[in-house]
Amino acid sequence: MSRVRLVPIVLIAVLVLAVLFGGWQAYEHFNMVTPLKRDLQQVEGVQMVNVSSGNPEIIDVQLGPFSKLKNGDLQQTYNDLENQISAKLGADVTPHLLDNRNKVLTQAMESFNPALLQGIDKSNYTTMIAQVTNEAKKQGIQCRITMDRQYIYIQLAKGKYYLYTVMPYTTRQGGAAS
């Protein structure tokens, strides 16, 4: 009977695993990440894309000012981004938007949050939009708010700075029963 040598078997196993892992990384990079980056950079308003592979996927998307967005609308640009991402990676991955915010816009957004959250809670969207838009106008901030079935899209701009926020909202469906 021949003896099985442990060292060569372990070395071969490690080598095979390294080749398989390297092959998967190359496949992921050349067949998933690179085409996705290329497709996302074609969306109007996108200045830069960074795709970090892993679980979950992290996709940072740097957007330009209002004038660079598709029809000046965050909602349309965001929908194009989501469509590209879901076609390549599935619906569970969402883009992380990067903008050019400053302290003034950040503080304004923080001050708008109570009105936004109250509007969502009470499903009083027209009043919410009017309150936030009027308050932004008082502060000299350009404001645009749009909605669809999933998100509220908030665009703020003042001077060369701009802020984009996509807020998910839920309607009162389901819940605990006693």
Side-chain angles (χ1 to χ4, degrees), residues 4 11 76-77 112 139 157:
V4 176
L11 286 175
Q76 291 180 31
T77 301
F112 300 156
Q139 296 179 31

Side-chain angles (χ1 to χ4, degrees), residues 111-124:
S111 73
F112 300 156
N113 267 335
L116 291 165
L117 295 174
Q118 184 179 36
I120 292 168
D121 185 52
K122 296 186 183 293
S123 298
N124 195 354

Side-chain angles (χ1 to χ4, degrees), residues 88-101:
K88 298 274 193 262
L89 302 176
D92 295 338
V93 182
T94 57
H96 174 250
L97 300 181
L98 304 173
D99 49 34
N100 187 27
R101 62 183 65 194

Side-chain angles (χ1 to χ4, degrees), residues 98-171:
L98 304 173
D99 49 34
N100 187 27
R101 62 183 65 194
N102 64 3
K103 189 175 180 179
V104 171
L105 292 177
T106 302
Q107 288 175 341
M109 187 61 204
E110 289 172 3
S111 73
F112 300 156
N113 267 335
L116 291 165
L117 295 174
Q118 184 179 36
I120 292 168
D121 185 52
K122 296 186 183 293
S123 298
N124 195 354
Y125 304 114
T126 54
T127 302
M128 170 192 72
I129 291 170
Q131 283 179 332
V132 172
T133 304
N134 289 335
E135 187 57 36
K137 191 175 182 180
K138 287 178 191 175
Q139 296 179 31
I141 297 173
Q142 182 184 357
C143 177
R144 180 176 178 151
I145 300 175
T146 57
M147 298 174 62
D148 61 18
R149 291 181 178 262
Q150 292 180 302
Y151 302 110
I152 299 171
Y153 304 88
I154 304 158
Q155 300 171 235
L156 303 176
K158 187 169 186 175
K160 65 180 181 175
Y161 298 101
Y162 52 93
L163 178 146
Y164 299 127
T165 300
V166 178
M167 289 180 68
Y169 67 94
T170 56
T171 55

